[in-house]
Amino acid sequence: MSQPTLLTHGLVCGYRGQAPLFHPLDLTLAAGKITALLGGNGQGKTTLMRTLLGQLKPLAGQVTRGGQVNFVPQRFSAAFSYSVLDMVLIGRANKIGLFATPSRQDKHAAMVALTQLGIEHLAKQAFNTLSGGQQQLVLIARALATECELLILDEPTAALDLSYQASVIQLLHRLAAEHNIAILFSTHDPAQAELIADEVLMLMGNQQYLYGSKSDVLTAANLTALYELPVQRCQVKSDSLQFSTFVPYFGSMNYE
Ligand SMILES: Nc1ncnc2c1ncn2[C@@H]1O[C@H](COP(=O)(O)OP(=O)(O)OP(=O)(O)O)[C@@H](O)[C@H]1O
């Protein structure tokens, strides 16, 4: 078993005066492993992530962090008109030190992160003038530049076109496999979890959740129960491709 980078024991999340979002959770995020977080709207994915990060206090239980954690939010509004390069350099603030200016090495690391996401051409542009999807890529680059041990990403592909979705999913896989980073990412797309996750946490509503290996948790039956619509596992086979994915059936209406 890889080294745990984050552990929770009996963790209960939620907001004061409201029922807990789910039953006590023992979660292990281990180096080199990817955990996908699925759940319907409002089931508590963002709340869980913010609790793991220490931004929200648990209602009960403990979170133990064993390394540097970085977070990629869904959205971020910058108070000033930073350039994209400056935004990524902010990710290295802990390495640069108070009142120091970024070194050549810091700028190189920031440019490498932008290049890994295929957006180095945006380096000089103002962050506030980018599209939502471009901003999302910059936030991922900023997290990459921190060289952290655990990366938590809130729907990192939500605003991205299919091509950038593929880049980000491949990048997450590479970060875990080659750099031994522990990754937790939330998604509404079970096909992404199927491609790269080792473990899956599925928030089912009514305080219930399923947590375990991808093969145990990410099944058509569980997804059908989660989304309350039929979801089928499909095998895609052609001369050059072979993979398994999930296809939802969007209702009984006749769309012709
Ligand atoms: N600051 C807050 N105070 C009180 N309740 C909140 C607060 N933030 C979120 N909630 C509630 O907590 C529940 C979980 O919200 P959360 O944002 O964690 O869900 P989510 O699974 O991330 O949803 P989505 O998939 O729509 O992003 C929701 O019912 C939401 O209304």
Side-chain angles (χ1 to χ4, degrees):
M1 174 77 188
S2 325
Q3 192 80 4
T5 304
L6 184 146
L7 286 173
T8 74
H9 181 67
L11 179 67
V12 179
C13 298
Y15 300 91
R16 266 176 220 296
Q18 295 179 18
L21 287 165
F22 41 82
H23 291 308
L25 170 68
D26 292 346
L27 178 72
T28 301
L29 303 178
K33 298 280 177 215
I34 300 181
T35 305
L37 174 57
L38 284 93
N41 289 127
Q43 298 297 357
K45 298 178 294 300
T46 303
T47 305
L48 169 62
M49 290 181 168
R50 293 187 59 204
T51 311
L52 298 181
L53 290 159
Q55 294 176 357
L56 285 175
K57 257 181 96 168
L59 295 181
Q62 291 100 39
V63 178
T64 310
R65 286 175 287 271
Q68 201 200 323
V69 186
N70 211 292
F71 180 52
V72 180
Q74 276 183 43
R75 278 173 294 278
F76 181 84
S77 59
F80 301 99
S81 184
Y82 294 112
S83 74
V84 164
L85 183 62
D86 284 342
M87 276 297 288
V88 178
L89 281 168
I90 290 170
R92 288 185 67 83
N94 59 332
K95 294 194 164 50
I96 295 169
L98 200 60
F99 304 124
T101 48
S103 64
R104 275 177 64 179
Q105 194 191 348
D106 291 317
K107 286 186 183 159
H108 176 72
M111 283 311 294
V112 168
L114 288 170
T115 307
Q116 279 187 294
L117 286 146
I119 51 166
E120 65 279 17
H121 58 284
L122 298 177
K124 289 187 181 154
Q125 203 164 320
F127 179 79
N128 287 339
T129 65
L130 300 181
S131 74
Q134 288 171 328
Q135 288 190 353
Q136 201 164 27
L137 293 166
V138 174
L139 295 177
I140 297 171
R142 183 176 68 166
L144 268 190
T146 62
E147 298 167 11
C148 57
E149 278 96 22
L150 167 62
L151 196 49
I152 296 182
L153 306 99
D154 197 356
E155 295 183 36
T157 61
L160 302 183
D161 69 35
L162 290 180
S163 162
Y164 277 122
Q165 284 186 36
S167 306
V168 168
I169 288 301
Q170 282 164 16
L171 179 68
L172 296 185
H173 179 66
R174 236 181 31 238
L175 290 173
E178 295 170 17
H179 299 271
N180 214 27
I181 296 177
I183 291 176
L184 173 71
F185 78 107
S186 62
T187 180
H188 289 299
D189 184 353
Q192 294 182 353
E194 172 70 4
L195 272 176
I196 62 166
D198 299 292
E199 311 224 302
V200 174
L201 171 59
M202 221 185 254
L203 304 182
M204 304 296 287
N206 294 323
Q207 301 185 325
Q208 305 295 315
Y209 62 80
L210 302 168
Y211 174 46
S213 68
K214 178 174 64 182
S215 56
D216 285 347
V217 175
L218 200 66
T219 64
N222 288 342
L223 290 166
T224 297
L226 168 62
Y227 296 117
E228 295 178 340
L229 90 175
V231 177
Q232 284 216 357
R233 179 188 284 281
C234 299
Q235 302 295 331
V236 178
K237 279 187 193 164
S238 71
D239 289 346
S240 56
L241 279 179
Q242 186 168 338
F243 64 97
S244 158
T245 191
F246 290 99
V247 177
Y249 178 58
F250 288 114
S252 53
M253 243 173 89
N254 185 355
Y255 292 105
E256 281 175 26

